Amino acid sequence: LRRSIDRSRILLVLAGGVVGVPLGIVYLVRLDESLVRVTLGAIILLAVGASLYSSIRSAAAGSSPTEASERVPFPGGFWRSLGVALLGVAGGALGGAFSVSGPPVVLYFNEALKEKRAIKASLLAFFSVVIAVRVPIYASSGILTGSLLLTALAVLPAIGVGLYLGTRLHDRLPTQAVRRALQVLLAITATLLLVGA
């Protein structure tokens, strides 16, 4: 999928993500977890609602949100670039705090990119870089322990099955169905965060 990565859009998101990871780890260590979970869940639900509203308005107008966004040249000015970078910071921070770096970045690429392969490839690139930054910091700070590694190894077979099924499903679904599935999964994530708090 690497040829499908939208390099013009991902650079600022990646830069923000790298900056955000250590900020998220500070949150993890110092702030009250339930407060951060409630805030995160509420923000994700609001963002999903805004995304659904944008989709409904675009459908009523006879166009897709991605068609509209594709007409705006990236980065499109300082404030737009700053906003995209801050989404990356938010994703990196959430990844550092909860290993949930997806929501803000998923919403951005889901709205900004036209093809599902580009969405998937750009997200994989972002997650790979953020995880590569996050894991050594976890290890050096004592968050990543031997028992956690054993737990991770124990669930690897289930993760492998999920990855295989998800990849097959992704290849068969049309782009619009993939967008809806992402919105639903984000809403479920937000709900679980709120319930867990």
Side-chain angles (χ1 to χ4, degrees):
L1 289 172
R2 65 185 181 277
R3 293 178 181 175
S4 298
I5 295 172
D6 191 312
R7 289 175 175 80
S8 65
R9 293 181 185 273
I10 200 171
L11 292 178
L12 281 174
V13 181
L14 279 177
V18 170
V19 170
V21 168
L23 296 177
I25 293 175
V26 170
Y27 296 157
L28 177 65
V29 173
R30 297 190 178 182
L31 295 186
D32 179 65
E33 182 177 340
S34 61
L35 175 62
V36 179
R37 282 180 178 272
V38 168
T39 304
L40 171 59
I43 290 172
I44 295 172
L45 281 179
L46 287 172
V48 171
S51 177
L52 287 171
Y53 177 70
S54 173
S55 299
I56 292 169
R57 283 191 62 186
S58 298
S63 64
S64 71
T66 52
E67 288 171 355
S69 64
E70 289 293 333
R71 289 197 291 267
V72 180
F74 185 83
F78 172 78
W79 294 110
R80 180 178 168 85
S81 300
L82 179 62
V84 172
L86 288 175
L87 284 174
V89 172
L94 294 175
F98 300 111
S99 295
V100 185
S101 55
V105 180
V106 169
L107 285 168
Y108 170 67
F109 284 127
N110 198 32
E111 293 294 320
L113 300 180
K114 204 169 188 177
E115 298 295 329
K116 65 178 183 178
R117 285 179 63 86
I119 296 170
K120 182 177 181 180
S122 298
L123 286 173
L124 284 172
F126 176 81
F127 294 147
S128 298
V129 170
V130 167
I131 290 170
V133 172
R134 191 170 71 214
V135 169
I137 298 176
Y138 278 174
S140 63
S141 61
I143 296 173
L144 187 62
T145 63
S147 62
L148 284 177
L149 287 174
L150 289 176
T151 302
L153 288 173
V155 299
L156 272 180
I159 293 172
V161 172
L163 286 171
Y164 173 77
L165 295 175
T167 301
R168 295 293 299 272
L169 184 62
H170 181 272
D171 292 340
R172 293 168 183 258
L173 289 175
T175 299
Q176 195 59 28
V178 171
R179 294 183 191 284
R180 291 290 175 266
L182 286 172
Q183 290 169 336
V184 169
L185 289 172
L186 287 172
I188 292 172
T189 299
T191 303
L192 291 175
L193 284 169
L194 290 171
V195 171

